[in-house]
Amino acid sequence: MSLLDPRAPLRRLYRYGFRYRPQMRWAIFCSIMNKLCDLAPEILIGAAVDVVVRRDQSFLASLGLPDPVLQVGLLGVLTLLVWGGESLFQYLYQLAWRRLAQTMQHELRLDAFAHVQKLDMGFFEDRSTGSLVSILNDDINQLERFLDNGANQILQITTGCLGVGIVFFLLQPTIALLSMLPMPVIIIGSIWFQGRAEPLYAEVREKAGLISARLANSLTGIATIKSYTAEVRESEALGADSQNYRAANGEAIKLSSAFIPVVRMAVLSGFMVTLVYGGWLTLEDKLAVGAYSVLIFLSQRLLWPLTEMGATVDLYQRAMASTRRVLDLLDTQAPADDHGTPLALADVKGDVRFDAVSFAYAGRERVLEAVSAHIPAGTVAAFIGTTGSGKSTLAKLLMRFYEPSQGQVLLDGQPISSLRIRDLRRAISFVSQDVFLFDGTVGENIAYGAVGRAGWPTQGDIERAARLAEAHEFILGLPQGYDTLVGERGQKLSGGQRQRLSLARAILKDAPILVLDEATSAVDNETEAAIQRSLETIAVGRTTLVIAHRLTTIRHADQVFTVEDGRIVEVKGKAEWHGSAEA
């Protein structure tokens, strides 16, 4: 793909980084100035040779400085300034590029992560967590490495070629033309290499993502692996993925390794032209000795750095493959959460209605078919049915994790599709059967329910929520109480303890709507009873949707909807439900 193509990763990266133009320009300026100072000593050496050989007939003498001693003195001062300038600009460009790399890495990772959090749930069904982690971490780090070193190297090589080329043409146009004959070979070779390397490095990044996915999946399921004594199998599977990565990387390395010797031979031919033809011109008194010295020295500065192009282009291609993956992720269409009608939490009454709602997950048959249900504000509604009947999908539609294929969901008479997503979700406390706890303390996990509210909750607020969830007693029995670390995903706690913390978190959120999605399906009788007692208190004054398959869980429901094969087949009011349950 051509760099001029708007889809080219470098152009896309430049568009993304447009806000960093001042930093980019300063870094570029410092790199160019460093290279120009780096080239100047060779010119000064040639001038010194010219002074020693020609004395009062030297080039400097023609500028009005006939005394050779003064000429040498001037060259000494200029050398000091040039070396000082080179050192200064090297410090400045390293500082500028590294700051830019760190800033862009930081901002790009935050932008990508923020964007990922906005994507709908369907996106995550098609991608592994490990692959996304690989993009957000490894790929962005690869881009940082390029900005740290590669960008400066490309600029310095380009500046060196242009600067030396100008000096060559000023001193001896014929030698300039002959010595630059290898340049088209090097440029064409670089373009060819880029075309061949791009798909190879894209595959390398894909294979790296698969390894990350494998590791994340295995470490998350370590208990299952151990219980089935599948450690050897998992190691073999990782070995196969790692071997695929190794093979893909080997093909890319083979190509980049072949590039360097080709460039080296092209460089050698250019240097030989300067050495032999320039030497003949000097012997024939057609070229000054000082000028010949400058050409010899500069030919190396022009051509030998090109031997590093293989490594530089290799770094560039790896970075561009990573950039493509990151920017493709950023370009993934996300629902617009800033659009829609604002919803003030204080104005939410909690009247929920499903109006002829149908839904199908991508590539699957419909799981809901023309479902209609009305849950008045402040009441408790239960949805019961067999596994896979579609009852949990109703909760996901209410949270707008997905959008209905047909029909609509309304809150207080307004279609939720017209509301601002974050306002809608702030109005709902959600407790899932798949409890997720963060790797922090018990108190921090409960306090997470207050995210988005003004001010951080006090210890009293946290303990009140824990008491309502009947979690306070067991928390006090933990080694450090509320400061006890729960471990990744709460693995240091039992399933019932995790569920009670999840309920406490939802209680602390204090939203007008509470959704319990199979919240007691995987807990013991004691925990279920505790959650039931909690519900009698926290359901008062708020709309509560209970999705369950245990009848004991829904005994306090004002109405019960029975869901079968994606349809509501029966609706019972409180009196009717209690009468049939007792019978």
Side-chain angles (χ1 to χ4, degrees):
M1 181 180 292
S2 168
L3 290 177
L4 298 178
D5 191 318
R7 297 169 299 168
L10 189 60
R11 288 178 62 84
R12 294 172 64 191
L13 179 63
Y14 180 76
R15 288 198 300 271
Y16 170 80
F18 206 63
R19 51 186 154 165
Y20 306 113
R21 281 182 301 168
Q23 298 97 311
M24 285 184 182
R25 288 170 178 167
W26 173 245
I28 290 170
F29 171 77
C30 292
S31 290
I32 291 173
M33 291 303 297
N34 170 260
K35 190 60 182 179
L36 293 177
C37 290
D38 182 50
L39 294 175
E42 277 69 19
I43 298 175
L44 295 176
I45 291 172
V49 172
D50 188 49
V51 169
V52 171
V53 173
R54 299 176 62 195
R55 297 179 180 272
D56 58 356
Q57 300 297 316
S58 67
F59 173 73
L60 288 179
S62 66
L63 297 179
L65 197 66
D67 187 349
V69 175
L70 292 178
Q71 294 178 36
V72 172
L74 175 62
L75 291 174
V77 172
L78 292 176
T79 299
L80 180 63
L81 292 175
V82 164
W83 279 75
E86 180 185 4
S87 299
L88 173 63
F89 284 111
Q90 181 174 4
Y91 166 76
L92 292 175
Y93 85 64
Q94 287 181 340
L95 194 64
W97 282 115
R98 288 176 182 175
R99 280 181 175 173
L100 179 62
Q102 291 295 318
T103 301
M104 287 192 69
Q105 172 200 251
H106 173 74
E107 296 293 340
L108 186 58
R109 181 174 284 117
L110 291 182
D111 287 348
F113 181 63
H115 184 74
V116 165
Q117 293 183 95
K118 295 177 184 178
L119 299 174
D120 58 39
M121 296 300 291
F123 171 85
F124 297 96
E125 292 177 354
D126 300 329
R127 289 162 179 82
S128 68
T129 302
S131 177
L132 290 173
V133 170
S134 177
I135 293 173
L136 294 171
N137 190 37
D138 296 342
D139 286 328
I140 292 178
N141 288 343
Q142 186 69 49
L143 175 60
E144 180 206 359
R145 285 190 286 272
F146 170 71
L147 290 175
D148 262 349
N149 299 304
N152 172 68
Q153 290 172 357
I154 290 174
L155 278 170
Q156 295 230 331
I157 289 173
T158 303
T159 302
C161 290
L162 291 175
V164 172
I166 291 171
V167 174
F168 263 52
F169 275 103
L170 289 175
L171 293 178
Q172 228 306 319
T174 304
I175 293 180
L177 289 172
L178 291 175
S179 63
M180 289 186 180
L181 285 178
M183 292 293 290
V185 176
I186 295 171
I187 294 171
I188 293 171
S190 298
I191 295 173
W192 176 86
F193 172 78
Q194 179 186 342
R196 290 290 301 274
E198 185 174 1
L200 294 179
Y201 285 118
E203 184 179 1
V204 168
R205 297 314 310 158
E206 289 297 327
K207 300 300 184 186
L210 291 176
I211 291 177
S212 295
R214 172 75 64 182
L215 290 170
N217 190 58
S218 297
L219 293 175
T220 301
I222 191 66
T224 302
I225 293 172
K226 287 180 175 295
S227 67
Y228 284 91
T229 62
E231 292 92 341
V232 174
R233 178 185 177 278
E234 291 300 320
S235 293
E236 290 174 348
L238 177 63
D241 286 342
S242 185
Q243 179 59 36
N244 290 336
Y245 171 76
R246 181 182 174 187
N249 222 350
E251 289 299 315
I253 291 171
K254 188 187 300 182
L255 182 63
S256 63
S257 298
F259 178 71
I260 296 175
V262 172
V263 172
R264 187 178 296 275
M265 294 309 296
V267 166
L268 177 62
S269 63
F271 179 70
M272 289 299 294
V273 167
T274 305
L275 179 68
V276 176
Y277 183 62
W280 178 78
L281 289 177
T282 304
L283 292 172
E284 295 292 319
D285 292 327
K286 296 180 180 179
L287 182 65
V289 174
Y292 177 58
S293 301
V294 171
L295 293 176
I296 288 293
F297 286 125
L298 286 183
S299 64
Q300 296 184 69
R301 304 309 299 268
L302 169 67
L303 299 171
W304 286 114
L306 295 175
T307 61
E308 300 175 3
M309 279 193 64
T312 302
V313 175
D314 182 84
L315 182 62
Y316 167 80
Q317 284 298 343
R318 289 178 183 272
M320 291 306 103
S322 294
T323 298
R324 183 188 300 280
R325 280 160 51 90
V326 177
L327 296 181
D328 283 349
L329 181 62
L330 276 172
D331 288 343
T332 303
Q333 188 66 34
D337 65 341
D338 287 330
H339 294 85
T341 305
L343 180 66
L345 196 61
D347 295 337
V348 177
K349 298 180 177 63
D351 185 273
V352 176
R353 184 184 297 273
F354 295 91
D355 185 12
V357 170
S358 298
F359 177 76
Y361 293 101
R364 293 163 56 186
E365 296 181 356
R366 282 190 175 184
V367 294
L368 293 176
E369 187 69 51
V371 170
S372 293
H374 178 220
I375 303 97
T379 63
V380 178
F383 292 83
I384 62 173
T386 58
T387 301
S389 60
K391 55 188 185 299
S392 292
T393 302
L394 290 169
K396 295 175 183 178
L397 294 177
L398 176 60
M399 296 287 294
R400 282 192 70 186
F401 291 158
Y402 301 93
E403 300 292 342
S405 305
Q406 294 178 351
Q408 59 184 349
V409 183
L410 299 99
L411 174 60
D412 295 338
Q414 296 185 74
I416 62 173
S417 58
S418 68
L419 301 175
R420 200 156 55 183
I421 290 180
R422 66 173 179 269
D423 291 345
L424 170 69
R425 291 175 181 165
R426 284 173 182 164
I428 303 172
S429 292
F430 182 64
V431 181
S432 171
Q433 61 177 320
D434 184 19
V435 176
F436 182 87
L437 298 181
F438 295 92
D439 188 9
T441 67
V442 169
E444 288 169 345
N445 273 279
I446 296 175
Y448 198 81
V451 171
R453 287 168 43 181
W456 193 248
T458 65
Q459 184 64 28
D461 295 331
I462 294 172
E463 291 184 9
R464 176 182 171 277
R467 284 192 175 94
L468 287 173
E470 298 211 9
H472 182 68
E473 294 302 324
F474 92 76
I475 293 173
L476 292 181
L478 295 174
Q480 285 83 40
Y482 283 86
D483 294 325
T484 302
L485 294 172
V486 302
E488 189 174 10
R489 298 184 65 88
Q491 61 185 352
K492 293 183 180 180
L493 303 177
S494 70
Q497 290 172 333
R498 290 196 296 268
Q499 193 62 269
R500 292 192 210 185
L501 291 188
S502 177
L503 182 59
R505 184 164 60 194
I507 291 171
L508 185 60
K509 185 175 181 180
D510 195 25
I513 300 171
L514 174 64
V515 177
L516 301 177
D517 183 10
E518 300 280 14
T520 63
S521 64
V523 298
D524 54 36
N525 291 334
E526 180 185 351
T527 301
E528 182 181 10
I531 292 176
Q532 282 298 322
R533 291 191 296 270
S534 299
L535 284 177
E536 292 180 28
T537 302
I538 63 178
V540 176
R542 76 182 78 233
T543 305
T544 305
L545 279 70
V546 181
I547 296 166
H549 64 268
R550 290 186 185 179
L551 300 183
T552 54
T553 309
I554 59 173
R555 63 175 182 264
H556 299 294
D558 296 302
Q559 55 181 334
V560 178
F561 299 88
T562 302
V563 185
E564 289 184 10
D565 297 325
R567 296 176 182 273
I568 292 180
V569 297
E570 187 179 34
V571 183
K572 291 184 178 181
K574 188 170 186 177
E576 185 181 6
W577 161 248
H578 280 283
S580 62
E582 292 172 0

